[in-house]
Amino acid sequence: MTPEQIKTKVKEAFSGVDSEEFLQEQIKIGIQKHRKNYEIFKENNPEKDFIFWKTKNEEININTTKNQEIMAMGIFLLALDEFEKTI
């Protein structure tokens, strides 16, 4: 599965009203984690930019078939996309 397919699968899995609210809350939590991690990264690597950091974060094991791992990766990637909008 590609990162885009993972994100799509997670969005579809949380398409119910209550589930959608849960997904949005998880994405908000993920954004905060990304913000902290990016700040630490920039302190340690001032010469590197956001694109470099994002690319490294997207290099995750996308070859899993376990639903829990797919959901976690999807939320991670969706939060990363949302965090990018704030940069």
Side-chain angles (χ1 to χ4, degrees):
M1 244 189 271
T2 68
E4 290 304 316
Q5 289 171 322
I6 291 171
K7 290 187 280 188
T8 299
K9 185 172 183 170
V10 169
K11 285 180 185 177
E12 289 170 356
F14 287 99
S15 62
V17 175
D18 292 337
S19 297
E20 180 66 27
E21 289 175 19
F22 175 78
L23 176 60
Q24 291 306 315
E25 191 59 38
Q26 294 304 307
I27 289 173
K28 286 179 188 176
I29 292 167
I31 291 168
Q32 295 304 318
K33 290 178 183 177
H34 286 310
R35 182 170 285 118
K36 274 186 198 174
N37 291 336
Y38 182 62
E39 287 172 5
I40 293 167
F41 171 80
K42 282 302 285 180
E43 287 175 14
N44 295 324
N45 303 281
E47 72 287 354
K48 304 286 185 186
D49 63 4
F50 177 79
I51 299 301
F52 176 87
W53 181 79
K54 182 180 180 196
T55 301
K56 288 294 180 189
N57 275 282
E58 289 175 331
E59 293 173 356
I60 57 177
N61 177 17
I62 58 173
N63 296 318
T64 187
T65 57
K66 296 179 183 176
N67 282 337
Q68 287 180 317
E69 290 178 10
I70 292 170
M71 290 300 163
M73 286 187 292
I75 292 169
F76 176 87
L77 293 168
L78 289 167
L80 187 58
D81 288 347
E82 292 300 313
F83 174 62
E84 182 177 18
K85 294 175 184 176
T86 68
I87 297 292

